[in-house]
């Protein structure tokens, strides 16, 4: 319950000595780094942090190749700001040097905040501003430096790179079986360079044919299995758009491939193709050679558009959302401002799409094919969310890691491009909060089903924090192939190594294992809410008094205590049954039990 | 007079239509017999006025529309639909059964609006006498937000007309208080006085209750007990507490107006008072009298502690009761949805509609005002006097919220009920007028859900600090429903005097004993003890024994808050505490400008100061048994989804909702209790089976977010898939852009 700091960063709370967490771990490592090569860590005293909530705070600023650390000891409690430089998307000088000889810098961050600093600066002096150093460390890619993930060598008891083993995961799903086979056709990434080496395809489609199917699918992303229903054999398969073009090209192999996917499920004589895009955009893609399946060419297939917008719309929506929530919230127009960002509307559409997929598979016992344009953004969102609804395994702490490794990382969601790790070019149109939206959707589901997930909100926030931090190798690069080329599993630490070494922090104390129960979230605005704990966490007034994970830990401890009591009592009961001493009649029962939580 | 329209009461209705849908209808005579016997289990004193059948009720099961045949009745208590189908014997449905009315019953006072369906048109019904055609459908909107669709198309025309007129007459026409069901019910039931309320509720109807309360809070004010016959004022309760310096002469001056009524004492010694304000602005002879009287009263309040007082005229800064009514009327419409299509259509602009109703904003304003008052008591240790015209609407809201934030006792179930008893029932909140259960035309202006507004604010607090409250969300929802069940004395009268005079009138010769109206706190009237378990919040953190000890010491634990850095707060000079003389001087000056004193210069700085107060409080460790302040930033105020979404099938989360958390905790607790019970029984019996509670209750996966109010009827449910235009059209150049390699724009 100790309150450390007024604080403008969650980091300051997390890194208090009582709570070992990633920040304290990394601090240890960082100190070593600064000692080894002094050029990496630079400190400046007398820097002013212009906090939008607390006003100007004077203190000292330290910049290393991993973090930016601002500390003010004058304030009581001490004020600390501590963030990985990886979250910075832009460093800009604001205005000219002031009359007082101060120069100010703004840091725009990827985690929904902007920071502003000012410090004395003499024009023409040879000494560089500390913020030029930030500029260097925050954008290692642009400065031909190594990402910090390659420096970080913290040992963990478990190797997170081993969390996902495709063969083991497919085996868990009951694959291969008589209708589906595991193929190594993409072992050298020559069928599709953005796909993983291990793929599951219909058993009657030989490897040679896959290449011909690949020719008809954008970027060679052929329809492959993501998930199979353990009872009905209905499947979720994913791919990219067919290269139909304006002339309505057809591919016999592709048609056969989809027919094989349908035939693999004896329960249904239909196949649903979910095109994530709005129909207009899907049609517009024909001009560039893409498009969508015509129901004439694909017998028994029904095409459904899910109306989810593209990465540019999403990026713009998040930009608007940031304007609305940071730094201050306009109280009287909060709801209409929120609505005008369309952020939750996009969340609703994505969840609604996944819900329709899950419904078709579960209730309709029908196999589905999911694609968008390239099949690595909206398709990943939809397939992974549908799988989360359908399969309780993915709702466990480890299962979720497998889901992210499988549907996002191995199937080539372009993290490097979408996040822009270490890249100065903040206006890059390829950046988009696609993965953030996915995590937001997961959070919405955890809100609606608070007992159905083994992990907690802190777990989701931690994933997002390290999506940007560049501390772990997990979210670097764009595909499995690139990750192997960079030798990431050897040269970097996996985020899951860290998470699994202290899984209590991330465990939902109220988890009830529903096993194979399907979750259908309500995708109405009435039940969707803005994720305050993530988007508005920098606002001190919105912060819970106790750090989130501490609250969870207390609940967990309480649960353990109760369970211990139950066991104790059970033992006692059993003992009495065994002995059943008649002389004890009338004696008071064992120790009184406090029944209030 | 009760039976003016009840001519058709109890007569069997002859179905004029044989439906091929239900084969059993074919056997008309048999049907008639069975229908004749079909009447609800009538409550004591309940009389059937009229009935008609067959009537069709349309219901939505798992999002599919279907109809049920049955009989529609109107009694002096309710409109009741008796289904021809066998009642659901689902154990879960029985778990939370209300003993007074079931899922197909609508207490007459719970009816909000009635619409008539004429072919395709829907018309608001205001009177039972329709010129041409009687509607073939009746749509009843309830105050607890249930929505009923009855079709009269298959009933005999005469019956249909009669039931329509009967329902409209009894639900919408003005009536006298004696026609309210509580009177018939009270005559026929015997109240068990001993066993009245299970968590002990202090009724504040004796001087001992008040004496105990002032002792509990260590207040130094005096108890006035010579209003027992309402000779001082009919507006004040029989017993009340005023500052010690208020003289007997002061009490009798202006019919109770202007007397500072003590609400609660802070441990520092300062106290919160409320009063009905005197019309100080009037420019007539009496205004000078009022002003000097008010000055005297302020002096009296100031002398309670540190010669300081701050006053707040609530009507200056809070919405009026009319605003509250208007806002709520708009707000509740969002939840009375006819069909799935409406649900998804209104989903698109959900947030802006919500904002447009201003309901959440009114809740925020009330909570913010309460925090302001808390700040004065806690940080400045200043006495506070809140006032408004009658002193029994927003004064009740604010004073109860302040006490709830300060005093953990009021956050227990018994304490909360005592608080409502003290501030609302004895405080003379005009429940009868504000609910307008009698549908009097001249009271329409005064109808306003002020008490509901209070419950809403409590819900917001409870959502933010669940472990601080002993009662559950379900309890609040049930309490809000109970306002419109016309059985309880709690919500039936305008003041203690009103209740006493009615009770006296009932004691005319021929009456055997005083009428027994149950209070709402006697929950056994509505729910059996198992259902009452849902009122307890399993997350409640009970004060452990070690914690309890220091409470008894003279310096309570939460005094540490006094050390808040007060220099950081800005106050107008006139609001600074000072000696009596200075204070009265400034008061004199203030009196001339109506506003007696403001604690801040402008609303803006008030907000800033309150914000600082909140942040300073927030930095301290959270103590669920200490002062609680709500966070009032936009996103923290939320929709009370249990109350408002529970009847909407599209909005139900199957296997989800907060119930799953509560279930998990309750299961663990039940298991502990069960095992303990087994240990106790071990002494006598060796055989046991400890599966008990956990095995009995259903797995939470089979419940929904609307639990315990509605139950998923079948296991094979379908998800609610949005329909219609899913998104407001984004006519943005971005939408047309390619996903990749289109670097030209942005």
């Amino acid at each position: 319950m100790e309150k450390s700091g007024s604080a403008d960063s969650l980091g300051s709370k997390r890194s208090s000595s009582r709570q070992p967490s990633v920040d304290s771990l990394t601090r240890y490592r960082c100190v070593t780094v600064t000692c080894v090569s002094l050029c990496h860590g630079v400190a400046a005293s007398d820097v002013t942090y212009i906090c939008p909530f607390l006003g100007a705070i004077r203190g000292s600023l330290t910049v290393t190749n991993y973090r930016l650390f601002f500390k003010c000891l004058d304030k009581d409690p001490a004020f600390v700001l501590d963030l990985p430089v990886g979250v910075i998307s832009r460093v800009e000088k604001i205005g000219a040097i002031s009359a007082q000889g101060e120069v100010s810098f703004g840091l725009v961050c990827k985690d929904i905040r902007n920071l502003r600093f000012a410090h004395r600066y003499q024009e023409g002096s040879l000494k560089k501003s500390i913020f030029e150093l930030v500029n260097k460390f925050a954008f290692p890619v642009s400065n031909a430096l190594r990402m910090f993930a390659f420096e970080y060598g913290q040992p963990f008891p478990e190797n997170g790179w081993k969390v996902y083993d495709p063969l083991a995961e497919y085996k868990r799903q009951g694959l291969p079986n008589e209708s589906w086979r595991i193929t190594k056709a993409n072992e050298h990434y020559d069928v599709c360079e953005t796909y993983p080496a291990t793929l599951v395809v219909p058993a009657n489609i030989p490897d040679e044919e896959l290449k011909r199917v690949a020719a008809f699918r954008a970027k060679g992303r052929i329809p492959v299995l993501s998930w199979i229903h353990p009872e009905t054999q209905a499947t979720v398969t994913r791919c990219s758009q067919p290269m139909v073009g304006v002339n309505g090209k057809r591919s016999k192999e592709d048609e056969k491939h989809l027919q094989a996917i349908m035939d693999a499920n004896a329960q249904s004589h239909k196949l649903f193709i979910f095109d994530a895009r709005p129909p207009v955009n899907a049609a517009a893609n024909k001009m560039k050679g893409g498009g969508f399946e015509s129901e004439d060419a694909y017998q028994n297939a029904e095409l459904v558009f899910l109306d989810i917008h593209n990465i540019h719309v999403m990026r713009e929506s998040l930009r608007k959302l940031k304007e609305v929530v940071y730094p201050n919230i306009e109280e009287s127009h909060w709801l209409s401002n929120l609505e005008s960002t369309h952020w939750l509307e996009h969340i609703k559409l994505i969840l609604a799409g996944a819900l329709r997929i899950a419904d078709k598979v579960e209730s309709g016992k029908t196999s589905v094919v999911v694609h968008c344009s390239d099949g690595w953004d909206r398709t990943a969102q939809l397939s992974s969310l549908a799988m989360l609804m359908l399969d309780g395994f993915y709702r466990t702490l480890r299962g979720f890691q497998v889901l992210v490794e499988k549907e996002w990382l191995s199937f080539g969601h372009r993290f490097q491009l979408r996040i822009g790790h270490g890249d100065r070019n903040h206006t890059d149109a390829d950046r988009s909060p696609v993965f953030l939206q996915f995590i937001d959707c997961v959070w919405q589901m955890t809100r609606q089903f608070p007992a159905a997930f083994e992990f907690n909100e802190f777990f989701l926030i931690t994933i997002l924090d390290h999506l940007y931090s560049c501390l772990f190798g997990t979210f670097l690069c764009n595909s499995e192939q690139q990750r192997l080329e960079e030798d990431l599993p050897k040269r970097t630490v996996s985020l899951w190594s860290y998470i699994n070494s202290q899984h209590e922090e991330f465990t939902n104390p109220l988890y009830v294992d529903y096993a194979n129960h399907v979750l259908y979230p309500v995708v109405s605005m009435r039940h969707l809410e803005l994720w305050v704990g993530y988007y508005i966490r920098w606002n001190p007034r919105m912060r819970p008094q106790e750090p989130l994970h501490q609250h969870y830990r207390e609940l967990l401890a309480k649960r353990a205590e109760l369970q211990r009591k139950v066991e104790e009592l059970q033992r006692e009961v059993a003992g009495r049954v065994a002995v059943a001493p008649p002389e004890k009649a009338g004696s008071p029962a064992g120790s009184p039990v406090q029944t209030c939580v | 007079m009760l039976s003016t329209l009840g001519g058709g009461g109890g007569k069997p209705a002859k179905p004029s239509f044989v439906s091929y849908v239900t084969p059993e209808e074919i056997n008309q005579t048999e049907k008639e017999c069975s229908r004749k016997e079909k009447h609800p289990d009538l409550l004591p004193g309940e009389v059937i006025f009229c009935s008609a059948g067959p009537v069709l009720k349309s219901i939505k099961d798992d999002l599919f529309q279907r109809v049920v045949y049955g009989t529609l009745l109107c009694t002096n208590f309710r409109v009741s639909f008796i289904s021809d189908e066998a009642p659901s014997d689902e154990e879960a449905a029985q778990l939370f059964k209300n003993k007074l009315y079931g899922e197909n019953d609508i207490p007459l006072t719970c009816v909000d609006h009635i619409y008539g369906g004429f072919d395709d048109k829907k018309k608001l019904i205001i009177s039972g006498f329709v010129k041409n055609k009687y509607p073939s459908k009746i749509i009843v909107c309830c105050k607890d937000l249930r929505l009923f669709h009855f079709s009269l198309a298959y009933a005999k025309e005469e019956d249909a007309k009669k039931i329509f007129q009967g329902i409209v007459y009894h639900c919408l026409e003005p009536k006298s208080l004696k026609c309210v069901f509580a009177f018939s019910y009270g005559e026929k039931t015997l109240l068990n006085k001993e066993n009245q309320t299970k968590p002990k509720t202090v009724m504040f109807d004796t001087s001992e209750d008040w004496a105990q309360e002032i002792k509990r809070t260590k207040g130094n004010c005096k108890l006035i007990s010579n209003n027992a016959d309402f000779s001082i004022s009919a507006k004040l309760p029989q017993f009340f507490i005023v500052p010690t310096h208020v003289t007997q002469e002061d009490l009798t001056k202006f019919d109770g107006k202007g007397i500072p009524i003590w609400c609660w004492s802070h441990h520092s010694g300062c106290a919160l008072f409320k009063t009905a304000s005197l019309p100080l602005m009037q420019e007539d002879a009496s205004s000078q009298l009022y002003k000097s009287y008010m000055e005297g009263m302020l002096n009296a309040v100031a002398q309670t502690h540190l010669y300081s007082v701050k006053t707040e005229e609530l009507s200056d800064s809070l919405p009026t009761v009319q605003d509250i009514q208007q806002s709520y009327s708009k707000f509740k419409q969002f939840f009375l949805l006819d069909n799935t299509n409406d649900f998804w259509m209104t989903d698109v602009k959900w947030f802006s509609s919500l904002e447009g109703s201003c309901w959440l904003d009114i809740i925020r304003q009330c909570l913010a005002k309460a925090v302001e008052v808390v700040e004065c008591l806690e940080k400045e240790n200043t006495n506070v006097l809140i006032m408004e015209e009658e002193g029994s609407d927003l004064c009740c809201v604010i004073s109860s919220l302040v006490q709830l934030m300060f005093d953990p006792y009021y956050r227990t179930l018994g304490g909360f009920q005592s608080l409502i008893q003290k501030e609302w029932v004895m405080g003379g909140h005009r429940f009868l007028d504000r609910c307008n259960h009698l549908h009097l035309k001249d009271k329409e202006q005064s109808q306003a859900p002020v008490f509901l507004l209070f419950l809403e604010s409590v819900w917001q607090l409870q959502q933010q600090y669940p472990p601080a409250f002993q009662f559950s969300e379900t309890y609040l929802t049930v309490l809000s429903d109970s306002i419109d069940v016309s059985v309880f004395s709690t919500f039936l009268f305008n003041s203690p005097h009103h209740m006493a005079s009615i009770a006296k009138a009932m004691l005319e010769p021929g009456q055997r004993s005083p009428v027994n109206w149950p209070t709402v706190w006697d929950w056994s009237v509505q729910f059996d003890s198992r259902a009452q378990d849902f009122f307890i919040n399993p997350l409640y953190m009970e004060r452990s024994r070690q914690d309890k000890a220091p409470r008894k010491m003279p310096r309570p634990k939460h005094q540490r808050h006094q050390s808040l850095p007060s220099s950081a707060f800005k106050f107008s000079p006139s609001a600074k505490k000072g000696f009596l003389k200075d204070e009265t001087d400034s008061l004199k000056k203030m009196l001339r400008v109506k506003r007696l004193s403001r604690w801040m210069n402008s609303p803006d700085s008030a907000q800033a100061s309150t914000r600082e107060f909140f942040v300073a409080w927030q930095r301290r460790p959270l103590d669920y048994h200490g002062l609680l302040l709500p966070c009032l930033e936009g996103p923290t105020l939320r929709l009370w989804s249990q109350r408002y979404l529970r009847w909407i099938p599209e909005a139900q989360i199957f296997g989800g909702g907060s119930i799953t958390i509560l279930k998990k905790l309750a299961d663990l607790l039940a298991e502990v209790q069960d095992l303990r019970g087994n240990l106790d029984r071990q002494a006598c019996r060796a055989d046991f089976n400890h599966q008990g509670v956990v095995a009995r209750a259903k797995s939470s996966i089979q419940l929904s977010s609307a639990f315990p109010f509605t139950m998923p009827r079948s296991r094979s449910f379908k998800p609610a898939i949005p329909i219609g235009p899913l998104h407001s059209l984004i006519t943005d150049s971005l939408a047309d852009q390619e996903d990749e390699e289109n670097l030209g724009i942005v």
Side-chain angles (χ1 to χ4, degrees), chain A residues 1 3 6 54 77 281 285 288 307 309-313 315-316 329 331-339 342 344-346 348-349 352 355-356 359 363 373-374 376-378 414 418 427-430 447-451 509-512 514 517 519-520 522-529 532 536 539-543 545-546 555 558-559 562-563 565-566 569-570 572-573 576-577 584-586 589-590 592-597, chain B residues 334 337 342-344 346-355 360-361 364 465 538-542 545 607 611 614-615 617-624 631-636 638-639 641 645 650-658 660-661 664-665 668-669 671-673 675-676 678-680 682-683 686 688 690 699-701 705 717-722 726-728 730 732 734-743 745-746:
Chain A
M1 286 286 276
K3 303 273 285 189
S6 72
L54 304 168
N281 298 44
N285 261 290
K288 303 192 131 194
D307 281 310
H309 280 279
N310 66 27
I311 58 166
H312 311 290
V313 174
R315 181 180 57 237
E316 181 60 14
I329 299 160
E331 221 158 69
S332 48
H333 297 294
W334 159 247
L335 288 172
S336 51
N337 284 345
L338 177 64
E339 189 173 276
H342 298 293
L344 285 178
E345 211 176 301
H346 296 312
K348 170 179 158 177
L349 282 169
L355 181 69
R356 295 175 76 165
D359 178 45
S363 321
S373 296
D374 292 309
W376 50 43
D377 294 313
R378 288 167 274 196
R414 308 209 289 171
R418 294 287 177 256
T427 57
D428 189 344
D430 269 331
R447 290 288 293 183
Q448 297 196 13
F449 303 96
L510 300 164
Y511 175 57
V512 181
Y514 289 156
H517 191 83
L519 303 183
Y520 290 132
V522 173
V523 294
S524 154
M525 286 300 179
R526 287 140 170 110
H527 279 299
L528 299 182
E529 41 185 313
V532 168
I536 320 187
N539 185 332
R541 289 187 295 276
M542 292 294 295
R543 193 173 300 153
Q545 271 119 322
E546 297 168 65
L555 270 173
K558 226 156 242 159
R559 189 182 75 169
L562 269 174
Q563 264 163 354
K565 251 175 213 165
V566 168
L569 286 170
Q570 265 165 346
E572 207 172 327
V573 169
R576 286 197 184 191
V577 173
K584 267 204 171 176
V593 179
Q594 178 121 25
T595 51
C596 268
V597 186
Chain B
F334 304 148
L337 299 163
D342 282 5
F343 180 84
W344 292 111
T346 50
D347 207 48
V348 179
K349 289 278 165 205
W350 176 248
F351 289 118
S352 43
S353 323
L354 212 56
E355 185 178 291
L360 288 177
D361 199 52
R364 184 202 322 278
Y465 306 104
L539 286 167
Y540 179 55
M541 200 108 67
E542 207 165 314
R545 272 175 210 116
Q607 212 182 23
R611 199 167 264 186
F614 176 77
V615 170
W617 170 81
Q618 201 193 22
R619 279 185 202 154
R620 300 174 172 275
L622 181 58
D623 176 9
Y624 288 119
C631 175
L632 298 173
E633 299 283 314
T636 51
R638 297 176 37 218
L639 175 75
S641 49
L645 300 179
E650 292 84 357
Q652 283 181 38
I653 308 166
F654 292 98
S658 58
T660 50
I661 291 188
K664 169 86 184 170
L665 282 168
L668 280 169
L669 290 173
E671 205 177 336
V672 172
Q673 246 163 356
L675 285 165
R676 209 192 139 193
N678 278 322
L679 276 177
D680 290 343
Q682 275 307 296
F688 68 94
H690 69 258
S699 135
S700 57
I701 201 74
S705 56
F717 61 89
K718 294 273 290 171
I721 306 239
L726 286 171
H727 48 95
S728 50
I730 303 169
D732 201 320
L734 286 174
D736 308 328
Q737 257 185 58
E738 263 310 295
D739 274 4
E740 308 295 325
E741 290 97 34
N742 197 339
L743 303 173
I745 318 164
V746 181

Side-chain angles (χ1 to χ4, degrees), chain A residues 67-113:
Chain A
R67 72 177 61 227
L68 184 150
F69 186 76
F70 175 85
K71 196 170 184 183
C72 163
L73 292 170
D74 301 343
K75 265 188 113 81
D76 180 45
F79 178 88
V80 168
L81 185 70
D82 184 1
L83 65 152
V85 288
V87 305
I88 298 167
S89 75
R90 175 159 38 142
V91 179
E92 54 185 7
K93 203 166 152 187
I94 302 169
I97 296 172
S98 72
Q100 293 82 38
E102 291 215 317
V103 63
S104 80
F105 283 91
L107 309 182
V108 178
C109 299
K110 294 169 181 171
D111 59 357
I112 327 292
R113 59 177 157 170

Side-chain angles (χ1 to χ4, degrees), chain A residues 21-86:
Chain A
S21 69
V22 69
D23 283 81
S24 46
L25 286 169
T26 54
R27 169 153 325 132
Y28 164 74
R29 177 62 192 167
C30 256
V31 170
T32 349
V33 171
T34 15
C35 291
V36 170
S37 43
L38 274 171
C39 65
H40 276 174
V42 169
S45 55
D46 210 18
V47 173
T48 309
Y49 167 54
I50 300 149
C51 173
F53 307 106
L54 304 168
I57 298 163
R58 287 175 89 88
S60 65
L61 182 70
T62 310
V63 176
T64 73
N65 52 350
Y66 173 61
R67 72 177 61 227
L68 184 150
F69 186 76
F70 175 85
K71 196 170 184 183
C72 163
L73 292 170
D74 301 343
K75 265 188 113 81
D76 180 45
F79 178 88
V80 168
L81 185 70
D82 184 1
L83 65 152
V85 288

Side-chain angles (χ1 to χ4, degrees), chain B residues 214-466:
Chain B
I214 195 147
K215 208 173 129 200
R216 192 184 68 85
T217 60
K218 302 186 182 65
N220 53 347
C221 295
K222 71 173 173 191
L223 175 65
I224 303 296
S225 47
N226 54 355
N227 196 34
D229 52 355
F230 301 101
S231 56
I232 296 176
S233 166
K235 294 197 174 75
L236 295 175
Q238 285 170 296
F239 309 97
F240 56 91
I241 292 167
V242 295
T244 338
H245 289 259
V246 173
T247 65
Q248 192 59 39
E249 191 192 340
D250 291 336
L251 290 173
T252 50
K253 269 208 172 129
F254 299 108
D255 189 30
K257 280 192 183 247
I259 302 175
I261 306 291
W262 174 86
C263 299
W264 185 79
S265 281
H266 187 252
H267 58 73
S268 67
C270 61
L272 173 65
F273 298 88
K274 63 179 174 185
T275 187
S277 43
L278 288 161
L280 294 170
M281 279 306 276
Q282 273 171 24
E283 287 302 325
D284 57 23
S286 52
S287 95
Q288 204 47 49
L289 275 176
Y290 291 155
K291 279 175 192 168
S292 61
Y293 178 74
M294 218 45 225
E295 244 173 71
M297 289 301 106
L298 285 174
N299 277 337
V301 171
Q303 289 188 44
T304 306
H305 180 71
L306 288 176
Y307 303 118
S308 64
V309 60
K310 282 175 183 172
T311 67
E312 177 75 357
E313 173 62 49
L314 295 176
S315 55
D316 287 350
S317 49
L318 290 179
T320 64
V321 285
Q322 286 80 19
D323 293 340
I324 293 167
Q325 169 68 6
Q326 206 182 6
S327 162
Y328 184 69
S329 307
K330 236 191 229 172
F331 176 75
K332 73 182 173 198
Q333 290 307 322
F334 304 148
F335 310 99
L336 297 165
L337 299 163
D338 274 339
N339 53 49
T340 303
N341 212 32
D342 282 5
F343 180 84
W344 292 111
M345 289 303 156
T346 50
D347 207 48
V348 179
K349 289 278 165 205
W350 176 248
F351 289 118
S352 43
S353 323
L354 212 56
E355 185 178 291
S357 77
C358 293
W359 182 243
L360 288 177
D361 199 52
I362 290 178
I363 297 166
R364 184 202 322 278
Q365 289 181 47
C366 289
L367 284 165
K369 183 58 71 186
V371 172
E372 264 181 65
V373 175
V374 166
E375 185 185 349
C376 286
L377 293 162
E378 173 74 16
K379 203 171 67 66
E380 294 285 294
N381 297 147
T382 311
N383 297 298
V384 177
L385 175 66
I386 50 175
M387 43 178 84
E388 71 183 316
E389 197 189 333
E390 292 179 54
S392 60
D393 288 303
L394 290 166
C395 272
C396 298
V397 176
I398 302 302
S399 73
S400 328
L401 286 176
V402 168
Q403 294 173 62
L404 210 59
M405 290 176 195
F406 268 122
D407 199 331
Y409 164 65
Y410 294 128
R411 301 195 288 258
T412 64
L413 187 52
F416 184 68
Q417 299 184 161
S418 306
L419 178 69
I420 293 170
Q421 203 58 34
K422 177 171 87 162
E423 291 299 323
W424 293 82
V425 180
M426 290 303 148
H429 176 66
R430 297 194 297 153
F431 278 110
L432 184 66
D433 290 354
R434 293 288 175 240
C435 302
N436 198 16
H437 284 325
L438 306 182
H439 299 282
L440 303 177
K441 294 280 176 275
D442 60 325
K443 297 286 187 198
E444 260 165 27
Q445 279 304 303
S446 54
Q447 190 176 344
V450 181
F451 185 64
L452 178 65
L453 173 63
F454 165 65
L455 294 182
E456 278 262 17
S457 311
V458 176
W459 183 85
Q460 300 290 348
L461 263 174
Q462 195 198 36
Q463 282 309 291
Q464 293 189 17
Y465 306 104

